[in-house]
């Protein structure tokens, strides 16, 4: 459960309004960059299709597990955190969550260190939705186990995907190209991510979102002692190539999982940029504040019907959700056009219709 928290200092801070000048600055060539990225992602999907004869998403192609739980909003949040319809009042919502590996290769060996992903679809949410998800009462949220993304804006994404397409089969040369970039440390960091038990990881939004009147990044923090102890369980060369999914399934079969859902609010645009998602917001200067809990009861995290249904028919899209939780910044504007385009190619090539589920009960298992 959420512990007693000292809110006084945090409640009195001057948080930047989400509509303030400078929060979003759309560069003149962004639309051209977005069109190029769509073509690049579709090419990556086509390449994977040529190997597997099945089309996957351009990223997060490898499912590690899918679980169901509940997202709990307490009734005693301070006023500055009662933002959006979701957090304004106490409530409990059904939620479906998917663990994944971030690259677009569904056969990626778990022993290779790479970023990992976590996605949530919260059901029965009430409030004004964006047009893309207006008929579906869900709030979709995406996470990564790194606090910043190397695909930090549309321009950078176009440049990096171009290098990966050109040198994807020649990793030494790809590294040589990345080392010549001014953001080389960020670009090379993805191969140095700690490869450990997924249930011990902290998960980050990476990019910024509206939070009612304000702007936030969000995070999930494992909150049980059992989960925290797993942090030392790292993948070794002698482990199987699907070790992460096996560890995850073993954990969920025997244990409940709990996470704190925390937000980090925007106070200083120079130190907390919204347009560039490659910068970590300093958590000492701008603390994380808990606003909800995610609780996942014991269950089988590897149900074949659930996995195939999610991969073949569903997608998580942050533009499926509340207007008061609007995705912000270049990387999120890119997602608004990229995700539907990537999904459309998958549905066409796999002959599987997209299904925007209205109830968690529509998901098998």
């Amino acid at each position: 459960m959420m512990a007693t928290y000292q809110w006084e200092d945090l409640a009195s801070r001057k948080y930047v309004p989400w509509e303030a000048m400078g929060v979003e600055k759309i560069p003149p060539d962004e639309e051209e960059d977005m069109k190029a990225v769509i073509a690049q992602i579709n090419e990556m999907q086509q390449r994977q299709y040529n190997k597997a004869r099945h089309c996957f998403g351009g990223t997060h192609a490898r499912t590690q597990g899918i679980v169901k739980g509940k997202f709990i909003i307490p009734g005693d949040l301070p006023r500055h955190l009662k933002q959006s319809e979701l957090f304004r009042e106490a409530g409990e919502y059904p939620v479906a969550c998917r663990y994944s590996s971030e690259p677009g290769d569904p056969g990626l060996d778990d022993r290779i260190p790479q970023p990992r992903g976590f996605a949530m679809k919260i059901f029965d949410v009430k409030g004004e939705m964006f047009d893309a998800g207006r008929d579906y009462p869900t709030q979709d949220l995406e996470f990564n186990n790194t606090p910043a993304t190397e695909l930090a804006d549309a321009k950078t994404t176009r440049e990096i995907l171009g290098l990966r397409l050109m040198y994807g089969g020649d990793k030494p040369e790809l590294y040589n190209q990345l080392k010549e970039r001014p953001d080389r440390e960020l670009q090379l960091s993805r191969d140095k991510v700690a490869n450990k038990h997924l249930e011990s990881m902290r998960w980050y939004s990476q990019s910024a979102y509206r939070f009612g009147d304000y702007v936030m990044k969000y995070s999930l923090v494992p909150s049980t002692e059992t989960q925290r102890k797993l942090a030392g369980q790292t993948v070794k060369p002698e482990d199987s190539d699907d070790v992460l999914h096996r560890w995850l399934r073993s954990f969920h079969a025997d244990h409940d999982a709990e996470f704190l859902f925390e937000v980090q609010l925007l106070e200083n645009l120079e130190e907390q940029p919204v347009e560039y998602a490659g910068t970590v917001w300093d958590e000492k200067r701008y603390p994380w504040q808990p606003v909800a809990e995610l609780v996942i009861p014991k269950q089988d995290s590897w149900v074949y019907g659930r996995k195939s249904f999610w991969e073949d028919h569903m997608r998580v899209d942050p533009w499926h959700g509340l207007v008061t939780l609007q995705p912000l910044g270049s990387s999120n504007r890119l997602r608004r056009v990229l995700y539907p385009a990537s999904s459309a190619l998958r549905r066409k090539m796999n002959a599987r219709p997209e299904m925007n589920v209205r109830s968690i009960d529509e998901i098998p298992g």
Side-chain angles (χ1 to χ4, degrees):
M1 299 297 292
M2 290 177 63
T4 302
Y5 203 81
Q6 300 299 317
W7 301 111
E8 288 79 5
D9 172 62
L10 296 173
S12 62
R13 293 198 181 198
K14 302 297 183 184
Y15 299 114
V16 177
W18 80 276
E19 290 183 296
M21 185 175 297
V23 170
E24 288 193 290
K25 298 179 182 177
I26 302 177
D29 297 331
E30 186 173 80
E31 185 175 352
E32 179 182 336
D33 290 332
M34 289 179 176
K35 291 178 181 178
V37 170
I38 290 172
Q40 291 168 327
I41 288 291
N42 284 167
E43 182 176 347
M44 290 178 170
Q45 292 176 282
Q46 180 68 60
R47 291 184 182 185
Q48 286 298 334
Y49 180 84
N50 291 343
K51 294 179 182 179
R53 285 298 185 262
H54 193 84
C55 190
F56 295 86
T59 59
H60 298 277
R62 185 175 178 88
T63 298
Q64 300 291 2
I66 300 173
V67 293
K68 295 181 179 181
K70 54 186 177 180
F71 192 69
I72 305 169
I73 314 298
D76 58 351
L77 289 175
R79 182 176 298 179
H80 75 287
L81 296 179
K82 288 181 177 291
Q83 301 295 325
S84 88
E85 298 92 327
L86 185 58
F87 300 100
R88 194 168 295 150
E89 298 178 355
E92 185 174 303
Y93 301 86
V95 62
C97 310
R98 175 179 180 256
Y99 300 84
S100 64
S101 289
E102 187 271 347
D105 180 3
L108 181 71
D109 192 320
D110 285 350
R111 294 169 295 189
I112 300 174
Q114 285 288 283
R116 312 301 177 186
F118 188 82
M120 288 172 48
K121 189 176 283 286
I122 305 171
F123 291 87
D124 301 340
V125 177
K126 294 179 175 61
E128 183 184 359
M129 301 284 180
F130 280 101
D131 289 343
R134 189 174 299 279
D135 297 329
Y136 317 107
T138 67
Q139 177 64 54
D140 293 4
L141 299 174
E142 294 182 312
F143 303 79
N144 196 287
N145 67 330
T146 60
T149 175
E150 78 281 2
L151 305 178
D153 54 28
K155 179 178 183 295
T156 304
T157 301
R158 180 182 184 179
E159 293 170 353
I160 297 304
L161 295 188
L163 291 175
R164 291 179 187 174
L165 283 167
M166 185 174 297
Y167 301 107
D170 186 351
K171 195 165 186 177
E173 183 55 33
L174 176 61
Y175 266 65
N176 288 337
Q177 295 291 327
L178 294 176
K179 288 176 182 178
E180 295 298 317
R181 293 179 55 87
D183 62 348
R184 54 186 170 274
E185 290 187 11
L186 177 64
Q187 295 304 328
L188 297 175
S189 64
R190 65 180 289 113
D191 293 328
K192 303 173 184 177
V193 178
N195 202 11
K196 60 182 184 178
H197 200 297
L198 293 174
E199 205 57 36
S200 71
M201 290 183 176
R202 180 167 184 165
W203 303 98
Y204 301 88
S205 69
Q206 298 184 320
S207 57
Y209 292 77
R210 179 181 173 185
F211 184 57
D213 295 335
Y214 306 123
V215 177
M216 68 168 173
K217 288 188 178 181
Y218 55 74
S219 173
L220 279 174
V221 184
S223 56
T224 70
E225 188 62 27
T226 304
Q227 289 167 270
R228 288 192 285 264
K229 286 181 178 178
L230 292 174
Q233 189 172 340
T234 56
V235 176
K236 298 177 177 58
E238 60 268 25
D239 289 324
S240 64
D241 60 3
D242 63 346
V243 62
L244 292 179
H245 129 69
R246 292 179 180 273
W247 282 354
L248 193 68
R249 190 176 191 183
S250 177
F251 173 87
H252 279 296
D254 296 327
H255 303 281
D256 296 343
E258 297 180 9
F259 297 84
L260 286 179
F261 182 87
E262 301 183 335
V263 298
Q264 186 182 29
L265 301 186
L266 174 63
E267 300 181 53
N268 185 325
L269 271 170
E270 291 186 2
E271 296 181 355
Q272 299 171 277
V274 170
E275 283 298 323
Y276 186 78
T279 299
V280 178
W281 292 4
D282 188 339
E283 62 182 55
K284 292 182 178 179
R285 291 177 62 85
Y286 312 106
W288 291 97
Q289 305 180 53
V291 296
E293 290 181 286
L294 171 64
V295 178
I296 302 170
K298 289 188 290 187
Q299 62 191 277
D300 186 355
S301 65
W302 192 260
V303 177
Y304 288 103
R306 184 183 294 176
K307 174 185 177 292
S308 62
F309 181 84
W310 191 299
E311 290 181 347
D312 284 349
H313 299 289
M314 291 177 56
R315 67 180 166 103
V316 172
D317 187 333
W319 290 94
H320 285 190
L322 294 166
V323 171
T324 50
L325 296 178
Q326 177 180 331
L328 299 172
S330 181
S331 61
N332 278 323
R333 292 192 298 273
L334 173 59
R335 288 184 174 110
R336 192 172 196 173
V337 294
L338 175 61
Y339 283 14
S342 171
S343 178
L345 182 64
R346 290 168 62 191
R347 313 313 165 190
K348 175 183 177 181
M349 298 180 76
N350 295 332
R352 298 287 189 274
E354 181 171 290
M355 297 177 64
N356 290 294
V357 293
R358 300 171 185 268
S359 166
I360 194 170
D361 295 330
E362 296 178 46
I363 301 174

